[in-house]
Amino acid sequence: GSRLRFPYLWRDASFLLKVLRYGARLELYRLRGDVRTVVDRFVQQARRVPDKPFVLYGDAAHTYRDVELRSNRLAQVFLQRLRLRRGDCVALLMSNEPDFLCAWFGLAKLGCPVAFLNTNIRAKSLLHCFRCCGASTLIVGPDLLDSLQGILPSLLEDSIQVWAMAERTDLPQVSTLLDNIHAVSDRPVPEALRKTTSIKAPTLYIFTSGTTGLPKAAVITHLQSLKAAAGFWAFGATEDDVIYTPLPLYHSAASLIGIGGTIELGATCVLKKKFSASHFWNDCRKHDVTIFQYIGELCRYLCNQPKTELDKVHQVRMGVGNGLRQDVWREFLSRFGNIKMCEVYGSTEGNLCFMNHIGKIGVVGRSNFFYRLLFKYDLVKYDMVKDEPVRDQHGFCQRVKTGETGLLLSKVSFFSPFFGYAGSKKLTERKLMRNVLAKGDAYFNTGDLMAEDHDGFICFRDRVGDTYRWKGENVATTEVMETLGLVDFIQEVNVYGVEVPGHEGRAGMAAVIVRPDMAFDGKKLFEHAVGDLPAYARPLFIRLQEIMEMTSTFKQQKFQLVQSGFNPSTVCDPLYVLDYQQESYIPLTEGIYKSIAAGERKL
C-alpha cells in the first residue's frame, strides 16, 4: 500500500539517511575542531590505493601515488622558491590538465587558499579578480601565457609574482616552476601547515559572473567542498566507477563535485582538456566510463551527432549535472539507452542544493517533508514586468500555490549559512533579501524562477534580473553593456537574453542607439566584441533603435525587448547578427532567421 501511496518513499528515505549520515560527520568535524578536508582525504586514498589510476588524461594514467608525490614536490617548490606561507591566496589560471590538480593540492598542503580563474576571461576582468581575493601570486598554464602579455606590466606593478607551469618561457618577467621540481624532495611538507580547526575557513575562491558587472569570487569553505564531494556517493556511486569530466575545472561542477567526488570514493577520473562530441562515446568505450558530468548543452551536442550502431554500446549508467531540457533528456535516453540523469541544482555560492536522485525527466530536484525541515526554502510570487518580488501591504513576500511559478529563496541560518563573496560586503548583502516572510529574517535570493508540483518535484522555469545563461556560463548584462558602451558610434545600449528555439538558456542581444552624427559599423562592433568579451558573452543579435522609450522604466523596456525577440518579420527595427565568417555583424535576413530557427546555423 505505502508503495503506491508514496511511490518514492523508500528511495527518498534512503537518500536522506545518507545525506544525514554525512552531515553528522561534518558536524563532528566542526564540534571537535578537527576537520578532515578533501585534500586530507586525497592523502589518505594515496596511502590506501597508491597504484590505482586517479586521473586518465590523453594516453597517460596518473595514479594516486603519482599525483601525491608530484603535488608534494610542487608544495616544496612553493615553500622554498615562491616563499609562500600559510594563508597566502594564490590564483591559478590553467586549462584542464593533471598539473592543475597537482598545483591545487600542492597549495592546499601549505594551507594556501586557491582562486580558480576562468580561462576565457579577458585582461580587464583578470586584474579585478586579483584585487578581490587578495592574491599576490599567479600560476599560469603553459598554453595560457600568451593571453597574459597585455596585462603583465599591470600585474608586476601590483607586485604580483607570475610563475609558469613550464620548464622555460620566453617572457622575461615570468618565472618557471617545472625546472625547479627535480631539485626538491617528494617528501610531504609538514602536515601542520594544512591542519585546520575551522570547517568554515575558506579553501577556494571560484569566480561566478557578476550580476553587477565584473566577476565575483564566491568563497568556498571546507564545509562546501566536503558537501560537494559527497554528491556522487549520495547518488550511489562507488570506488569502481570511472567518472568522465569534460567540464572546465575552474567551475565548481568539475572541481568540487567531479574531482572532490572522485577522491571521496577513491575512484578514477577521465579528465578532458575540452569537451568533444565526436570523441565522447569512443572515450567512454575506451576507458569503460560509468558516470559522466554534463551541462544541458553537452547532451544536446551528443544528440546532434550522426547516429551510429554503437550508440548503445557503452557502460555509462549515470550522468550528473544540470540544465538538461526535457526534450533533449527524452531524446538522449531513447538514443543512448537507460542512463540515470541526476540533475543537481545549486549555485556555487548558494546555501541550498536540490538533487533529483530519482532521475525523473525534466526535474532539477526533489523535495519532501523531511527535506523541508532541514533546508528552509520558499517560492514567492514574482512580477515579471517590474522584475521584482511581489510584496503585500505589510511589505512581506507571498508564497505561491503548489504548481505555480515563483522566485526561489533560501533561508540563511546556522545550518545553511551564506558565505558570500570575497572582499565585498556590498555584493554579499545584495544577494540577501531581508524581512521576506517575517520581520528580521534573511534569505539568499537565487535569482531563479521555479515551480514545485504536488509530488514535490521541482522544475526550473527561468532566470530573472541582470544575468542570463549561455553555453553553460552566466553572462552579466552590465559587464557587456559597459564594454559595448566604449564603441565610438554607440550612444546607448541595453543588453538582454532572448530564447532561441532548440537552445538552452538565452542568447545575448543588444538594443543600440547610434550617435546622431555617426553610422552603425558592423565590422568595428565585431572587433570590439571579440577583443574585449569572452565568446559566450558576445551579443549574437543587435537591434538598432531610434530612441529608447523613456516613459517606461528601464526594466519594463527590457521586458518588452525580451518578449519581442529577434524575428525580422515581427520586429520593425533593423536587426543584425554576429557572423564569424565575415568578421562582422551582418543584417539579419528572413533566410538567416529561418536557418537559426531550424537549428541549421551554428550559434
Side-chain angles (χ1 to χ4, degrees):
S2 77
R3 240 3 231 286
L4 294 171
R5 255 205 348 272
F6 304 106
Y8 305 108
L9 186 67
W10 293 113
R11 284 186 284 175
D12 279 344
S14 67
F15 183 75
L16 212 78
L17 276 171
K18 277 188 120 163
V19 173
L20 286 172
R21 225 169 71 205
Y22 193 79
R25 186 163 114 199
L26 300 189
E27 191 53 22
L28 271 177
Y29 290 166
R30 192 184 67 78
L31 293 172
R32 289 195 192 132
D34 171 26
V35 183
R36 297 289 151 78
T37 63
V38 171
V39 169
D40 289 330
R41 179 73 171 158
F42 176 76
V43 172
Q44 186 189 357
Q45 297 286 26
R47 284 198 201 110
R48 193 180 68 89
V49 284
D51 299 313
K52 178 164 185 173
F54 168 49
V55 177
L56 305 177
Y57 184 80
D59 291 324
H62 304 262
T63 64
Y64 275 85
R65 183 194 284 116
D66 295 337
V67 174
E68 164 70 1
L69 297 182
R70 190 169 173 88
S71 63
N72 284 345
R73 281 185 191 271
L74 279 169
Q76 298 282 6
V77 174
F78 296 150
L79 196 59
Q80 295 164 33
R81 291 296 314 271
L82 280 68
R83 304 253 176 268
L84 289 177
R85 294 294 167 259
R86 183 190 170 106
D88 293 347
C89 179
V90 177
L92 200 58
L93 180 67
M94 290 180 72
S95 306
N96 281 12
E97 54 176 297
D99 272 345
F100 182 116
L101 306 177
C102 296
W104 166 19
F105 300 165
L107 290 164
K109 287 174 177 183
L110 295 181
C112 293
V114 186
F116 292 165
L117 300 180
N118 187 322
T119 52
N120 289 303
I121 217 158
R122 286 295 189 261
K124 183 185 80 163
S125 306
L126 209 58
L127 289 169
H128 157 83
C129 292
F130 278 91
R131 296 187 182 123
C132 70
C133 61
S136 52
T137 305
L138 170 64
I139 294 171
V140 194
D143 53 333
L144 296 170
L145 276 169
D146 295 345
S147 65
L148 276 190
Q149 282 180 317
I151 63 159
L152 264 177
S154 327
L155 287 173
L156 301 167
E157 222 168 85
D158 285 358
S159 56
I160 286 167
Q161 50 169 342
V162 182
W163 289 77
M165 188 60 80
E167 297 269 349
R168 58 183 174 279
T169 164
D170 305 331
L171 299 172
Q173 314 95 318
V174 176
S175 323
T176 49
L177 286 167
L178 296 186
D179 50 339
N180 287 299
I181 203 165
H182 313 294
V184 293
S185 122
D186 60 14
R187 310 250 336 227
V189 292
E191 206 176 312
L193 291 175
R194 70 168 193 268
K195 265 265 145 297
T196 177
T197 55
S198 165
I199 198 161
K200 294 184 180 176
T203 168
L204 295 171
Y205 297 98
I206 293 186
F207 287 85
T208 66
S209 100
T211 1
T212 44
L214 290 159
K216 296 182 296 217
V219 182
I220 306 294
T221 62
H222 290 297
L223 177 67
Q224 282 152 301
S225 60
L226 286 162
K227 277 183 184 172
F232 290 147
W233 169 80
F235 284 135
T238 72
E239 65 176 333
D240 302 322
D241 279 305
V242 177
I243 294 152
Y244 189 87
T245 298
L247 306 178
L249 288 168
Y250 56 73
H251 275 329
S252 52
S255 49
L256 301 184
I257 297 177
I259 297 298
T262 301
I263 292 169
E264 175 57 38
L265 296 165
T268 299
C269 173
V270 179
L271 184 66
K272 291 294 285 184
K273 181 162 184 178
K274 276 211 160 45
F275 167 71
S276 153
S278 53
H279 292 149
F280 181 88
W281 291 111
N282 288 334
D283 285 345
C284 288
R285 285 186 278 271
K286 179 175 157 190
H287 299 298
D288 292 322
V289 170
T290 54
I291 296 175
F292 73 102
Q293 288 192 276
Y294 68 84
I295 53 175
E297 284 80 347
L298 187 147
C299 297
R300 178 163 55 83
Y301 298 149
L302 291 174
C303 288
N304 289 346
Q305 287 290 301
K307 289 190 163 66
T308 75
E309 60 274 24
L310 293 174
D311 279 349
K312 286 194 165 78
V313 182
H314 57 77
Q315 304 290 312
V316 177
R317 65 182 179 90
M318 181 156 79
V320 176
N322 71 329
L324 187 50
R325 296 206 329 257
Q326 238 183 41
D327 51 343
V328 177
W329 196 328
R330 289 204 160 82
E331 188 186 341
F332 190 84
L333 296 187
S334 79
R335 179 160 163 194
F336 300 112
N338 184 16
I339 299 171
K340 181 175 171 184
M341 302 302 273
C342 298
E343 282 268 313
V344 177
Y345 165 83
S347 59
T348 308
E349 70 277 27
N351 61 342
L352 173 78
C353 178
F354 287 130
M355 295 166 106
N356 174 7
H357 61 97
I358 303 284
K360 184 178 160 83
I361 292 183
V363 167
V364 295
R366 167 113 194 89
S367 181
N368 51 50
F369 171 72
F370 307 108
Y371 189 89
R372 275 187 215 95
L373 290 179
L374 291 173
F375 303 96
K376 303 271 191 272
Y377 68 91
D378 274 290
L379 294 172
V380 300
K381 291 188 179 160
Y382 193 82
D383 182 328
M384 288 300 286
V385 180
K386 289 192 182 147
D387 205 10
E388 62 187 31
V390 177
R391 300 257 181 183
D392 64 15
Q393 70 271 31
H394 308 294
F396 293 126
C397 295
Q398 299 161 290
R399 289 192 175 97
V400 296
K401 296 192 189 71
T402 305
E404 283 181 358
T405 298
L407 178 68
L408 177 67
L409 304 177
S410 144
K411 194 163 182 154
V412 177
S413 66
F414 173 75
F415 288 110
S416 46
F418 170 52
F419 296 106
Y421 303 105
S424 174
K425 212 137 174 58
K426 193 167 104 245
L427 284 177
T428 299
E429 194 50 48
R430 218 176 260 172
K431 273 306 246 193
L432 292 176
M433 278 172 60
R434 299 187 182 278
N435 308 321
V436 174
L437 295 163
K439 254 200 133 35
D441 64 11
Y443 281 77
F444 173 77
N445 177 1
T446 64
D448 290 317
L449 296 176
M450 301 278 199
E452 182 175 332
D453 69 12
H454 289 282
D455 288 327
F457 286 107
I458 296 157
C459 28
F460 173 80
R461 292 276 190 255
D462 204 0
R463 291 258 328 137
V464 297
D466 305 323
T467 54
Y468 57 87
R469 269 181 92 71
W470 182 248
K471 295 202 182 292
E473 301 272 2
N474 285 332
V475 182
T477 54
T478 37
E479 194 177 348
V480 180
M481 271 153 64
E482 279 166 24
T483 304
L484 297 184
L486 300 173
V487 180
D488 60 7
F489 63 80
I490 291 182
Q491 182 176 318
E492 273 187 74
V493 61
N494 193 350
V495 175
Y496 49 98
V498 288
E499 289 186 312
V500 182
H503 285 72
E504 293 73 17
R506 291 170 177 272
M509 183 159 180
V512 168
I513 295 180
V514 177
R515 291 188 188 281
D517 47 344
M518 297 184 87
F520 177 78
D521 179 342
K523 277 217 168 325
K524 188 182 269 184
L525 186 59
F526 178 90
E527 276 163 29
H528 254 274
V530 171
D532 297 341
L533 290 168
Y536 57 84
R538 297 168 195 157
L540 292 190
F541 308 109
I542 303 290
R543 173 176 180 167
L544 295 190
Q545 290 187 297
E546 291 294 318
I547 45 164
M548 292 215 176
E549 305 165 42
M550 278 334 211
T551 49
S552 53
T553 68
F554 202 57
K555 281 181 171 173
Q556 286 167 329
Q557 240 167 275
K558 205 174 221 180
F559 180 74
Q560 284 145 9
L561 287 167
V562 169
Q563 297 308 96
S564 52
F566 61 98
N567 182 349
S569 61
T570 55
V571 175
C572 44
D573 293 330
L575 296 171
Y576 292 83
V577 60
L578 180 66
D579 190 297
Y580 284 103
Q581 256 77 49
Q582 300 185 38
E583 300 192 348
S584 178
Y585 279 92
I586 61 171
L588 174 57
T589 59
E590 274 297 326
I592 294 178
Y593 178 77
K594 287 205 172 83
S595 70
I596 292 173
E600 289 152 14
R601 189 185 166 99
K602 194 170 176 289
L603 295 181

